[in-house]
C-alpha cells in the first residue's frame, strides 16, 4: 500500500509564529507519522510579491527551516526542500501556464483578494498573477493528493485540479492525481490585537522564538473586551483574544468553558485569564525556543537537512516532469 | 577578444520554407563564421499557442533541425539546442515574471497583434501572454547581445531589455547584457499568393524540401499583376510576387532592374519572368533537398547534433541562471 503524499510549505518571508503553529505546524507533526510529507521552503513563490526584497526572502530560508526543526519536524520523516533549487517546478509551471487562461487566473478568488490586499492596482507582477500555475506545479510535481491549506487558499487547489484535468485529458490518461485541500478545523489564529491576520510585519504576532518576556508582554497587551473594566463587569468572550488563544492552546477544554461562563457573568478579571494563557504559551514555546537556539548554533546541520531533502525532492519532481513531458508528447532527447 | 553571442531559433511548428531562408537562415550561415551562434529549437515556446497540438510541435523538432543542417548550418560552428531540455530557461522565465507587470505584457505591440491574429479573445493562454518573459530568459541565458528578428518582433527585444535593466538594478551591477535586435534589410518574403505572411499552413509557401514539380507548380501559381493580360500590356512590379522573389533570390540585380523596366513598359510576359525565377529556385533548393534527404536517412546523427548542442547550451544557461540567482541574492544551497 502506498502512503498518501502530503505537500505543505511556507513562503520564506520571515520566521514563523504561533499562528503558523496552530494553523499548520501542529498538524504537520501528526501528518509526518502517517503520511509521506514534503515541506517546501517556498522562496521563489515569496519572490512573486517580494522581488525587490530578496534579502528578506533569502534570510528567511534558514529561519523557517529552524522553526520546522524546532517544533519537532523530523527530517527522517518529513522531506524539507527548497523551491528555488527544484528546476522541475519552474519547468512544469511554464508548461501549465499554457493550460490556463489569463481570464481564469484573474477570476481566481484568492488571487483577487490578495491583489487587493497588496494594493498592486494595475501593477500586478506577472509572476503574482501566475502563481496558481506555479502552485499547481508544486503540488503535482510531488504527486501530492492532500494539501493542507487555509480556507482562503481552497480556490487554489480547485485551480490546480482544473489544470490537472486538462493535462490528463491531453495525455489521454491520469498522469497526474487530483489533489484534495485539507482545511484545518481550528481556523486561523487572530493577532494579539484582535485583527484577523497575525503577522510578524503587522506587529501582532508571537514568534516561535519569542523570549519569556516577549511572550509575557504580548499576553499583557492582548485585546480582550474594552467594556470589561472592573472584575465584576460581565465580559465578552467573542472576539476576545485571550479566549481565542485558550481555545487554540489550552487542552483542558472543560476548564476553558467554565472560565468563559464566569467571564460572561462577571467576576473574572483579565489578569487571571491572561496569567493562565501566559503559563500555557510559556510552556509551549520554551522547548521550541531552546531547541531553536541549539540548532541555530549548528547552521551546517540545518543546511544539510535542506540539502538532503532538496536532493530527494529533486528526484521525485524530475520524475514527474519527465512523465508529464513524455505523456504530453514532447520531444525526447 | 570575446566573440559576440547571437541567439536565434524557430518555433517548431512545421518544417521551414524559403521565407525562413530569406528572412533568417541565409543570415545565420554568415553569422556562424563570425559570431558565437546558438540556434534554439523553440518547442516550449511553440506550445504557448499549440498546447493542444503537441504532436505537431514534437514532430517538427527533427524537421527544423534537418532544415538547419540541409541549408548549411554547421554544428561545429553553430550550437543547435532544444528549448524544452534546458531547465534554466524555465527557471529564469519564472524569475523574470516577477519583474514585469501584467499591464506591461498586455501593452506589448507584438503580443497584442498576435493575440488578435490568433483570435484568442479573452481565452488567452497565460503562457502566451507571458512568452516575452520566456524570450527574455532565452536571450539572457545565452548572454546573447545580438538577436536577429523580424521587424514585428522588435518590441520583444525592448521588453527583454526592460527586464534586463530591472534585474541589473536589483543586482546592483550589470549581471546581464542588454541585447540588440538585428532586423534583416531584406524584410519578409510574401507568400506565393501575394499575402504578407508566408506559411505552410496558409498553403502559400515553398518548403525547403520542395520537389522540382512542387517548385514549378508554386512558381506557376504565383500572383503577378491581374491586369497584365497580354504580353504587350504594361505590368505592375509592386506587389508582384515574382519580382519580389527575384529581388530576394536573384543575385544579378542589374538584370532584375532591366526586367522590371521592361515589364512596366509592356512587352514582357509572366512566363518569361517565371521561368527565370523557377531556374533560380530550382538551383537554390536542389542541393538543400538532396542534403536534407540524405540526412533524413540518418536520424541518429541529427539527434546527436541536438543532444551535443543541448548539452553545451545547458552548461551556458545553467551558469547564467546561477549567476542571476546569486546576484539577485537568492539562497544558495
Amino acid at each position: 500500500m502506498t502512503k498518501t503524499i502530503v505537500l505543505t510549505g511556507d513562503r520564506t518571508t520571515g520566521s514563523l509564529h504561533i499562528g503558523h503553529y496552530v494553523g499548520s505546524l501542529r498538524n504537520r507533526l501528526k501528518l509526518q507519522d502517517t503520511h509521506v510529507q514534503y515541506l517546501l521552503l517556498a522562496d521563489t513563490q515569496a519572490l512573486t510579491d517580494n522581488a525587490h526584497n530578496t534579502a528578506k526572502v533569502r534570510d528567511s530560508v534558514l529561519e523557517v527551516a529552524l522553526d520546522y526543526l524546532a517544533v519537532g519536524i523530523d527530517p527522517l520523516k518529513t522531506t524539507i526542500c527548497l523551491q528555488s533549487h527544484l528546476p522541475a517546478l519552474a519547468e512544469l509551471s511554464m508548461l501549465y501556464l499554457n493550460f490556463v487562461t489569463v481570464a481564469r487566473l484573474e477570476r481566481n478568488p484568492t488571487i483577487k483578494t490578495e491583489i487587493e490586499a497588496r494594493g498592486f492596482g494595475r501593477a500586478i507582477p506577472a509572476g503574482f498573477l501566475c502563481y496558481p500555475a506555479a502552485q499547481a506545479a508544486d503540488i503535482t510535481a510531488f504527486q501530492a493528493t492532500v494539501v493542507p491549506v487555509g480556507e482562503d487558499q481552497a480556490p487554489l487547489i480547485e485551480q490546480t485540479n482544473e489544470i490537472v484535468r486538462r493535462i490528463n485529458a491531453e495525455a489521454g490518461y491520469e498522469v497526474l492525481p487530483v489533489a484534495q485541500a485539507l482545511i484545518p478545523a481550528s481556523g486561523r489564529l487572530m493577532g494579539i490585537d484582535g485583527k484577523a491576520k497575525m503577522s510578524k510585519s503587522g506587529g501582532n504576532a508571537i514568534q516561535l522564538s519569542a523570549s519569556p518576556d516577549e511572550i509575557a508582554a504580548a499576553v499583557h497587551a492582548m485585546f480582550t473586551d474594552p467594556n470589561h473594566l472592573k472584575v465584576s463587569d460581565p465580559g465578552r468572550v467573542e472576539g476576545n483574544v485571550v479566549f481565542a488563544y485558550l481555545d487554540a492552546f489550552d487542552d483542558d477544554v472543560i476548564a476553558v468553558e467554565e472560565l468563559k461562563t464566569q467571564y460572561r457573568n462577571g467576576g473574572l478579571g483579565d489578569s487571571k485569564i491572561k496569567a493562565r494563557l501566559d503559563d500555557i504559551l510559556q510552556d509551549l514555546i520554551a522547548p521550541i525556543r531552546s531547541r531553536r537556539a541549539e540548532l541555530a548554533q549548528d547552521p551546517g546541520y540545518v543546511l544539510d537537512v535542506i540539502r538532503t531533502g532538496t536532493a530527494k525532492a529533486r528526484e521525485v519532481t524530475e520524475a514527474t516532469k519527465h512523465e508529464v513531458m513524455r505523456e504530453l508528447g514532447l520531444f525526447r532527447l
Side-chain angles (χ1 to χ4, degrees), chain A:
Chain A
M1 212 178 89
T2 54
K3 276 193 181 174
T4 308
I5 297 169
V6 186
L7 176 75
T8 54
D10 292 279
R11 292 154 40 94
T12 58
T13 53
S15 59
L16 304 182
H17 50 60
I18 58 170
H20 295 109
Y21 185 81
V22 171
S24 58
L25 293 171
R26 196 159 58 171
N27 207 24
R28 294 174 190 167
L29 293 178
K30 292 181 200 151
L31 286 167
Q32 72 181 347
D33 288 325
T34 50
H35 292 68
V36 176
Q37 180 167 255
Y38 292 94
L39 268 183
L40 194 59
L41 295 160
D43 59 343
T44 41
Q45 194 192 313
L47 287 179
T48 60
D49 59 339
N50 284 284
H52 303 293
N53 204 348
T54 51
K56 179 176 80 177
V57 171
R58 176 190 62 226
D59 297 341
S60 302
V61 168
L62 269 187
E63 294 298 320
V64 174
L66 276 172
D67 287 325
Y68 288 167
L69 297 172
V71 298
I73 293 293
D74 179 350
L76 296 177
K77 294 176 181 171
T78 295
T79 304
I80 299 173
C81 51
L82 185 59
Q83 195 178 33
S84 61
H85 285 60
L86 297 169
L89 303 184
E91 295 179 85
L92 287 173
S93 298
M94 290 301 288
L95 265 183
Y96 293 177
L97 282 174
N98 301 318
F99 291 91
V100 58
T101 65
V102 176
R104 176 65 183 89
L105 289 170
E106 286 171 343
R107 275 201 315 273
N108 186 306
T110 312
I111 293 293
K112 272 170 94 165
T113 310
E114 293 186 359
I115 283 172
E116 273 170 43
R118 283 166 177 78
F120 280 138
R122 288 294 295 153
I124 309 157
F128 192 82
L129 183 70
C130 295
Y131 97 64
Q135 204 156 38
D138 298 342
I139 293 168
T140 56
F142 288 98
Q143 306 267 353
T145 52
V146 172
V147 185
V149 288
E151 203 167 356
D152 51 336
Q153 302 279 309
L156 290 170
I157 309 304
E158 202 28 67
Q159 179 127 52
T160 291
N161 287 337
E162 274 180 39
I163 292 172
V164 162
R165 287 187 203 101
R166 288 208 183 117
I167 300 279
N168 289 345
E170 202 59 39
Y173 89 107
E174 206 185 306
V175 53
L176 296 172
V178 163
Q180 197 160 11
L182 182 69
I183 297 163
S186 54
R188 175 177 270 184
L189 193 69
M190 60 176 74
I192 64 167
D193 53 2
K195 285 192 184 149
K197 195 176 154 72
M198 176 184 286
S199 74
K200 193 180 179 182
S201 59
N204 65 353
I206 301 175
Q207 299 303 116
L208 290 172
S209 53
S211 69
D213 284 354
E214 285 169 340
I215 297 167
V219 172
H220 182 74
M222 269 178 194
F223 178 85
T224 54
D225 173 1
N227 297 317
H228 182 247
L229 299 171
K230 288 183 291 184
V231 172
S232 55
D233 286 342
R236 272 181 62 86
V237 164
E238 291 69 31
N240 186 315
V241 177
V242 180
F243 280 109
Y245 281 34
L246 287 174
D247 279 337
F249 296 104
D250 194 330
D251 289 332
D252 190 346
V253 287
I254 293 167
V256 171
E257 285 312 308
E258 282 169 4
L259 288 171
K260 283 182 186 173
T261 306
Q262 211 184 334
Y263 195 82
R264 283 195 184 101
N265 293 339
L268 177 60
D270 280 1
S271 60
K272 279 243 173 102
I273 54 169
K274 284 187 170 178
R276 182 180 178 101
L277 178 62
D278 184 62
D279 280 349
I280 291 168
L281 291 182
Q282 296 288 1
D283 286 352
L284 172 75
I285 293 177
I288 297 173
R289 183 179 53 235
S290 85
R291 271 199 301 269
R292 203 182 188 285
E294 213 176 293
L295 288 159
Q297 297 298 313
D298 192 0
Y301 167 72
V302 184
L303 264 176
D304 262 358
V305 166
I306 304 175
R307 276 200 196 106
T308 308
T310 303
K312 188 175 161 193
R314 193 172 289 134
E315 277 179 41
V316 176
T317 55
E318 288 291 321
T320 302
K321 175 194 82 177
H322 286 299
E323 197 181 347
V324 170
M325 285 175 73
R326 185 177 64 238
E327 296 306 326
L328 277 182
L330 292 190
F331 195 85
R332 299 170 68 183
L333 261 193

